[in-house]
Amino acid sequence: MSLVEIPSRLEHALSKAQRGVIVLAVDGLSSDVAKQSWLAASLSTLSSTVPSTAATAWLTALTGVPADVHRVAGTVYRNGSGLVHAINGTPAIPDLPTVLERHGATVLAREIDLLEGTWAKALLRGCTRLPSPPRHKLTAQAEDPPLLVANVVADVDKALPDARLLWTYVNVDDHVHANGYDESVHEAMLRLDAHASRWAAQGWTVVAHSAHGQVAVDPDPGLVEAWDAIVREECAIPSGGAGRMRWLYPEPGREDAVFDRVATTLGSTATVHHATDLGLPQPEAGPVVAVAASPAFPIADPSKKFEHGGLSRDEVDVPFAVWHNVE
């Protein structure tokens, strides 16, 4: 079971809901933390996308189609003759309806509201967007998960009287990248569980899910340099991918040689694949793909303490929770 099921699950919830459905889109939350903190919910596990990253996964979750249909291969990928950053740039994205658009959702987009590229437009097209806090307040909240939840809850409470389907973005991802799943994340998710139970008692069906989890990383500086050397010496354009899954665009005729060089260079820190074997869309994804098998894997941003994008259980397992009125 995967994120492609999210639209049908939300539509089923809407058909049964007494007052309506609240969707908490909790970015970066692991399945294990959800099991420890969403104590009042009915909880199941879905699989994220390949790669397990927000740009790909949230679009799949709202359109119900995989990456080979919506063509957002990862965070950074080939778009035309060069690379595009999926979230900040203007990639070409097919015209795909979302479950939110079909049901006239009200949206608290928060950080997504600050994005001007085509990804955000594709994700939340046709929705009624409520005003989001300014950037500096969103940054402060992302650094303090309990404060984040308090503000999300206040905004949800304010929006509920006029909504039938309310979708809100909950950005745990930034905090986890820097700090991991510390006590503040657990506390915030316990508080979210309590408020979800309160909304359920008021007749709302509350759904929460993530797009991916994260794992601890400790990239080897030597491997970071070695990866950059392969890109510089063997590739037509810079590398793409997402976190713990990265791919290369070898010069014509060099694919097999680059595959072997990457496998030898990264050794036990990675598994190396052909993009088609992972179901990655072509030509968006480079044909040679390295997937992390160790914390030492050379991620693109070595300053991060936790990262995602790979195929490990902790990255791929996605919590899907539902709070019902138990009366």
Side-chain angles (χ1 to χ4, degrees):
M1 296 184 291
S2 73
L3 289 175
V4 299
E5 295 185 28
I6 295 292
S8 62
R9 290 192 178 204
L10 294 185
E11 289 178 332
H12 177 75
L14 268 173
S15 71
K16 303 292 185 180
Q18 178 183 340
R19 294 184 64 182
V21 174
I22 301 167
V23 184
L24 306 169
V26 187
D27 200 2
L29 187 70
S30 73
S31 183
D32 284 348
V33 174
K35 290 174 183 176
Q36 295 163 17
S37 53
W38 290 348
L39 304 178
S42 173
L43 193 62
S44 59
T45 301
L46 301 177
S47 293
S48 186
T49 49
V50 178
S52 51
T53 194
T56 306
W58 286 118
L59 198 54
T60 288
L62 292 183
T63 62
V65 302
D68 62 356
V69 177
H70 64 58
R71 314 306 295 182
V72 177
T75 305
V76 177
Y77 58 93
R78 189 199 297 265
N79 192 246
S81 60
L83 294 183
V84 66
H85 191 288
I87 293 176
N88 296 324
T90 55
I93 299 176
D95 186 18
L96 296 167
T98 72
V99 64
L100 303 182
E101 180 182 22
R102 284 197 296 271
H103 295 277
T106 301
V107 169
L108 292 163
R110 298 178 61 80
E111 283 89 347
I112 299 174
D113 222 16
L114 303 177
L115 304 174
E116 297 180 353
T118 52
W119 179 80
K121 290 182 174 63
L123 199 68
L124 301 178
R125 56 181 249 174
C127 299
T128 299
R129 292 203 196 188
L130 299 182
S132 293
R135 187 182 300 274
H136 71 278
K137 289 190 176 181
L138 289 171
T139 300
Q141 292 171 26
E143 293 171 352
D144 184 347
L147 177 64
L148 165 67
V149 166
N151 279 270
V152 167
V153 167
D155 288 343
V156 168
D157 282 335
K158 186 184 299 184
L160 284 181
D162 300 314
R164 172 68 179 170
L165 173 60
L166 176 63
W167 188 94
T168 183
Y169 182 69
V170 185
N171 177 25
V172 176
D173 194 58
D174 285 354
H175 181 87
V176 176
H177 274 302
N179 303 280
Y181 295 106
D182 59 10
E183 185 59 34
S184 69
V185 174
H186 287 261
E187 176 61 27
M189 293 302 104
L190 284 168
R191 294 184 187 184
L192 197 61
D193 176 67
H195 287 287
S197 298
R198 172 173 63 84
W199 292 321
Q202 295 170 354
W204 294 90
T205 297
V206 184
V207 174
H209 70 92
S210 183
H212 57 77
Q214 296 202 40
V215 296
V217 294
D218 185 19
D220 183 326
L223 292 180
V224 173
E225 292 181 7
W227 179 272
D228 291 343
I230 295 173
V231 173
R232 186 171 59 251
E233 297 165 12
E234 302 273 13
C235 296
I237 57 177
S239 59
R244 284 169 37 94
M245 181 178 294
R246 305 183 72 184
W247 49 69
L248 296 164
Y249 302 92
E251 294 282 4
R254 296 294 296 167
E255 181 176 329
D256 290 343
V258 169
F259 188 103
D260 292 341
R261 182 174 173 182
V262 171
T264 299
T265 299
L266 298 187
S268 63
T269 69
T271 58
V272 185
H273 308 263
H274 297 288
T276 51
D277 293 337
L278 295 176
L280 290 165
Q282 297 285 285
E284 288 87 353
V288 177
V289 183
V291 180
S294 159
F297 181 82
I299 59 176
D301 183 357
S303 68
K304 292 181 177 178
K305 302 294 180 61
F306 276 65
E307 185 57 288
H308 53 91
L311 300 177
S312 72
R313 184 189 69 81
D314 288 338
E315 294 163 277
V316 170
D317 281 1
V318 173
F320 183 89
V322 182
W323 290 260
H324 296 287
N325 188 339
V326 296
E327 295 181 1

